[in-house]
Structures are given as C-alpha cells and as structure tokens.
Amino acid sequence: QVQVVESGGGLVQAGGYLRLSCVASTTIFSINAMGWYRRAPGQQRGLVATVTSGGSTNYADSVKGRFTISRDNAKNTVYLQMNSLKPEDTAVYYCKAITVRAAYWGQGTQVTVSS
C-alpha cells in the first residue's frame, strides 16, 4: 500500500507563487513516475506535470514556463513550484504516485488565485 499526502496549497494573488509538496510513503514497492494533476470547478481532472524516477519531465502547455516539477527520489517526494500564477490556475491539485502494481492518488490540496 502507498499513502500519498500533498501540502502547500493556499490563497495567493495573481502573479504570485506557491510551492506544493507531495510525499509517497511505501515500504514495499518503488515509486516510478510521480505527477501533479488538477481539477478546476466544473472541469475534469487533467495533467499539470509529471516526472519519472530518471528525471524526465512533462508539462501541460498551459503551465510551461511558469511551473517546475522536481523530485527527491530518496524521500519519494515531488514538488511543484508554481510561479506567475493566474486565476485560471485555481483548482484542487492532486498528486499521483505510480508503482509497478498501481497508481495512487492523494486527497488533493486547494489552490486559489485571486485576480
């Protein structure tokens, strides 16, 4: 079993920044890819950014150049640095951890960007 816990959400003004953190706790399976997804009000959950254990990253077009995903493999922790935030970035942000067996989701953390 893998437990995924996010932190770092909050309220920020447009143009501001936030840093999200996510820890995946496991005693059995290695964590392969980790990533961030978000669900805005009235929308489906979608990709924000992912990072593999080897460090390869992938970003949604809407966040390229503003968000940076990074990972500490030793701590099974992934970070999302979000700069130049926009009101349209308002959403619940979810962390996902993938093992060879399954994918595990956190409960989500709210990010609200005011205009």
Side-chain angles (χ1 to χ4, degrees), residues 1-4 24-35 51-53 71 76 96-105:
Q1 188 71 8
V2 177
Q3 291 187 330
V4 180
S25 301
T26 176
T27 59
I28 301 177
F29 298 111
S30 297
I31 304 296
N32 296 332
M34 297 184 74
V51 59
T52 68
S53 57
R71 179 172 173 174
N76 282 335
K96 181 180 180 180
I98 300 174
T99 72
V100 294
R101 290 287 298 272
Y104 299 87
W105 293 91

Side-chain angles (χ1 to χ4, degrees), residues 7-92:
S7 61
L11 173 65
V12 64
Q13 289 188 332
Y17 63 91
L18 283 174
R19 189 191 194 210
L20 306 183
S21 299
C22 169
V23 179
S25 301
T26 176
T27 59
I28 301 177
F29 298 111
S30 297
I31 304 296
N32 296 332
M34 297 184 74
W36 290 96
Y37 295 73
R38 66 187 181 187
R39 178 182 287 144
Q43 298 184 18
Q44 293 186 334
R45 185 162 55 187
L47 169 74
V48 177
T50 61
V51 59
T52 68
S53 57
S56 296
T57 58
N58 182 47
Y59 294 91
D61 288 342
S62 60
V63 306
K64 285 180 180 177
R66 300 188 299 122
F67 291 10
T68 302
I69 190 169
S70 60
R71 179 172 173 174
D72 184 334
N73 287 334
K75 297 180 180 180
N76 282 335
T77 300
V78 64
Y79 306 96
L80 185 69
Q81 179 67 42
M82 304 186 293
N83 297 330
S84 301
L85 282 161
K86 304 175 181 180
E88 51 264 43
D89 294 317
T90 295
V92 178

